[in-house]
Amino acid sequence: MFRPVDPTRNLLDIPSLPAPMIEAYLERTAYYAEKLANKSVDRTVLAGKTLLNLFFEPSTRTRTSFEMAAYRLGANIVNWDPEGSASRKGESFTDIIQSLAALRPDGIIIRHAKYNTPHMVAQIVDCPVINAGDSWRAHPTQALADAYTILQRKGRLGGLTIAICGDVAQSRVAACNIALLSRLGATINLIAPPNFLPPTLPQANVAVFTDMDEGIRNADAIIMLHLQKERLDLSAFSDTIGYHHAYGLTHDRLRRCKGDVIVLHPGPLNRGVEIADDVADDPHHSLILQQAANTLPVRMAVLDLLLNA
Ligand code: CP
């Protein structure tokens, strides 16, 4: 039942992705960004295809942007609802996936809390599988959108210093961004309190800081991470105000950074916790809405390249 997985037929994570595929995704993203801007998207690219959205965890941005990407290219998309499903009746995950795959979707988009679940699904089904976020490990389309957003503003990734700040150990966005941005030649500054740092560093060109001001000082881009408030260690911080004081991105901190530093945040935002209101909305430094908008051409590129392969 479990077959080997072809990393060029699926998008499961960044480390397994061959370099030409990363290049192809970013190039096709630029193509679709221009088509969207000119309102000249070819709506027949995925005509006749039906996608299955399997979100076992909540999502505001990712699910909607995959839906819009599918519609913009002429595909249909079915949103499967785990709450009303047989998983509530005790059916095994594998049986559910096999039953859904028997309906022969042209592609499956999956988000799941468990480590490596999209990979396991790709071993069972015949169609391409796209990871829309699993566990703390992978969120490859978010990483591609973040890389593309930085490229758009800076014109390159090689030689840049990119700070990633917050709950690094628990963040699939951080894990995937470290893997992608370092492969594309950036140096990564990880910034977090010690209990939010991974036990081992995944790449050679990654530096670790527990002092936020030090970690962002030479950064060309700062990616702030969503703080899961329930993970806040009360022995280290009295409350979210204490966290904001130590690790929140404020204008006061930005003033001590490079003048052209850009700020990203994949969402959901905790304003006043990891990021100050006026930094999130800053018209010069914040690319947060552009980053959200870029998830659309990224996901159009991924659907096009995988479903039309
Ligand atoms: N960035 C992101 O994955 O957001 P959602 O959880 O809203 O999809």
Side-chain angles (χ1 to χ4, degrees):
M1 180 173 71
F2 291 97
R3 293 184 297 268
V5 171
D6 178 353
T8 62
R9 235 196 124 224
N10 304 279
L11 178 55
L12 300 175
D13 55 30
I14 297 296
S16 68
L17 205 55
M21 283 298 287
I22 296 177
E23 219 171 285
Y25 284 138
L26 290 172
E27 271 176 27
R28 193 61 62 97
T29 297
Y31 168 84
Y32 277 122
E34 196 186 323
K35 292 284 177 194
L36 285 165
N38 299 335
K39 298 192 186 330
S40 59
V41 175
D42 175 358
R43 290 177 186 253
T44 66
V45 169
L46 294 182
K49 310 263 189 201
T50 302
L51 286 153
L52 192 51
N53 248 349
L54 301 182
F55 277 68
F56 290 84
E57 275 193 324
S59 165
T60 301
R61 295 156 181 78
T62 311
R63 198 182 95 161
T64 309
S65 121
F66 267 115
E67 276 180 66
M68 288 194 68
Y71 287 130
R72 292 257 187 249
L73 295 174
N76 297 309
I77 191 157
V78 174
N79 282 304
W80 177 79
D81 172 19
E83 288 306 310
S85 79
S87 63
R88 298 281 301 259
K89 299 181 194 163
E91 190 173 19
S92 78
F93 179 78
T94 307
D95 283 334
I96 290 172
I97 295 298
Q98 282 186 310
S99 302
L100 294 173
L103 302 173
R104 309 208 71 78
D106 296 292
I108 290 178
I109 299 156
I110 180 163
R111 170 172 288 191
H112 202 283
K114 268 202 192 143
Y115 179 87
N116 231 16
T117 300
H119 190 272
M120 194 266 266
V121 171
Q123 288 178 303
I124 299 175
V125 304
D126 285 327
C127 62
V129 173
I130 300 165
N131 186 347
D134 83 80
S135 64
W136 51 266
R137 187 186 75 99
H139 196 350
T141 53
Q142 182 67 54
L144 286 165
D146 297 356
Y148 181 70
T149 304
I150 298 169
L151 260 176
Q152 257 187 333
R153 175 61 71 95
K154 299 288 181 185
R156 68 192 166 98
L157 287 161
L160 296 186
T161 298
I162 299 173
I164 301 178
C165 180
D167 191 354
V168 176
Q170 291 292 315
S171 170
R172 54 192 166 215
V173 173
C176 237
N177 265 322
I178 295 165
L180 181 62
L181 297 170
S182 60
R183 274 183 77 174
L184 295 171
T187 296
I188 312 294
N189 287 357
L190 291 184
I191 308 164
N195 54 328
F196 282 3
L197 284 167
T200 53
L201 287 183
Q203 317 281 336
N205 49 346
V206 176
V208 170
F209 298 84
T210 52
D211 182 295
M212 184 168 188
D213 293 290
E214 253 183 69
I216 61 176
R217 188 177 300 140
N218 67 341
D220 298 289
I222 304 171
I223 301 176
M224 297 303 298
L225 301 173
H226 170 78
L227 178 76
Q228 297 169 47
K229 289 182 194 161
E230 64 280 11
R231 283 219 344 122
L232 201 59
D233 181 348
L234 293 179
S235 64
F237 305 103
S238 51
D239 50 25
T240 54
I241 298 170
Y243 183 83
H244 184 66
H245 186 68
Y247 291 100
L249 190 59
T250 60
H251 260 133
D252 194 38
R253 288 203 152 104
L254 271 189
R255 266 191 289 278
R256 299 193 287 271
C257 294
K258 287 185 173 177
D260 61 352
V261 67
I262 56 174
V263 176
L264 291 86
H265 190 313
L269 270 76
N270 289 311
R271 289 170 177 265
V273 181
E274 69 265 8
I275 189 162
D277 244 342
D278 54 358
V279 173
D281 300 330
D282 184 290
H284 304 294
H285 296 290
S286 172
L287 297 190
I288 292 171
L289 290 181
Q290 191 174 323
Q291 179 188 11
N294 282 338
T295 64
L296 185 56
V298 161
R299 288 168 181 146
M300 290 166 75
V302 169
L303 293 179
D304 177 3
L305 289 174
L306 290 179
L307 270 68
N308 282 322

